Amino acid sequence: MIVLVLIVPSIISAKSMVNRSMIDQNVQQMVTGEFGNVDNKNKTINLTVSGKKISGKKIHAAKQNLGQYNMKGYSLNIIQVAQVQNTENQLNRQVNMILNECQQKQEAESDRRQEEQEKRNDNIQKMAPEIDSVTSVSDNDNKQIALIALKKKIFKKKQQKLIKQIKAKYANINLVTFTLSEKDD
């Protein structure tokens, strides 16, 4: 009977110690697997946390409390990561802002080129009374083709003179063509 009285509490105590050891081991595995690692050789605990920033006070207190967890002599490194969602949203906003700026610059450049082209067309139209209208087409290298609609047919010599005048004044125009305007009857 005395043996039984001594064995039963020992078994209960041993079971409690085994359960606590298993819980401690599971907690360590979860922390290691989810948030960082424990380097027993160098006695270092590395934790990566995200979300709300942990204050320096709390980090200091956690380092001071390592002894309570039988980890005296271990060092604790906490790496705080910004919330990924916020960082991703900020990055997306910046990218969109840059893209919008580029698009606005391209539109402004296109408008400027269009305005320049219209002025050039008006100036070409004023070079001869026979010119009814001028349409210019340009590529990305700013090479131009001028399509000149004539009110009436003009001689080749006059066409050649106009081409020389146009190319002398506008060097980026590399081709000039003439057509007769269609008249509305």
Side-chain angles (χ1 to χ4, degrees):
M1 186 73 158
I2 294 178
V3 172
L4 215 52
V5 170
L6 290 174
I7 291 179
V8 170
S10 295
I11 291 174
I12 293 172
S13 178
K15 182 182 177 201
S16 176
M17 283 178 37
V18 168
N19 282 344
R20 182 168 179 124
S21 178
M22 286 176 58
I23 290 171
D24 288 346
Q25 188 176 14
N26 289 341
V27 168
Q28 183 178 356
Q29 284 177 342
M30 189 214 52
V31 168
T32 300
E34 297 294 323
F35 306 108
N37 63 17
V38 177
D39 182 354
N40 288 316
K41 182 179 174 188
N42 294 319
K43 293 191 170 191
T44 304
I45 302 166
N46 296 309
L47 293 178
T48 303
V49 294
S50 66
K52 186 177 177 186
K53 187 174 181 181
I54 300 171
S55 71
K57 246 183 186 178
K58 281 190 176 184
I59 293 172
H60 181 71
K63 288 179 178 182
Q64 296 299 317
N65 292 333
L66 285 172
Q68 293 177 5
Y69 299 98
N70 295 323
M71 300 185 112
K72 196 169 188 149
Y74 276 75
S75 65
L76 176 63
N77 299 319
I78 297 179
I79 300 142
Q80 297 191 60
V81 180
Q83 288 180 321
V84 175
Q85 184 66 32
N86 288 342
T87 304
E88 186 177 331
N89 287 341
Q90 287 172 337
L91 183 61
N92 284 338
R93 277 194 301 272
Q94 287 176 334
V95 166
N96 286 335
M97 199 166 69
I98 291 168
L99 289 174
N100 286 337
E101 279 180 34
C102 287
Q103 185 176 1
Q104 287 172 352
K105 285 179 182 176
Q106 286 176 339
E107 287 172 0
E109 176 61 19
S110 179
D111 289 346
R112 185 196 62 76
R113 286 177 67 185
Q114 180 70 31
E115 203 173 290
E116 190 178 282
Q117 206 168 24
E118 287 171 8
K119 283 181 186 175
R120 187 174 37 248
N121 291 349
D122 288 344
N123 289 337
I124 292 171
Q125 189 172 355
K126 292 174 185 171
M127 288 180 172
E130 297 88 359
I131 298 175
D132 188 29
S133 66
V134 178
T135 304
S136 294
V137 179
S138 65
D139 62 12
N140 288 336
D141 295 328
N142 206 23
K143 291 183 180 172
Q144 303 268 329
I145 299 172
L147 307 168
I148 299 175
L150 299 170
K151 295 175 188 175
K152 62 180 182 174
K153 193 170 183 176
I154 59 173
F155 293 110
K156 274 278 191 216
K157 199 171 189 179
K158 176 100 178 187
Q159 284 183 7
Q160 304 236 325
K161 184 180 173 193
L162 272 171
I163 291 171
K164 276 187 180 181
Q165 281 180 298
I166 292 168
K167 286 188 174 186
K169 192 166 183 177
Y170 305 106
N172 57 340
I173 293 180
N174 62 340
L175 179 64
V176 178
T177 61
F178 296 93
T179 61
L180 281 176
S181 293
E182 294 181 16
K183 293 188 180 183
D184 294 331
D185 291 324

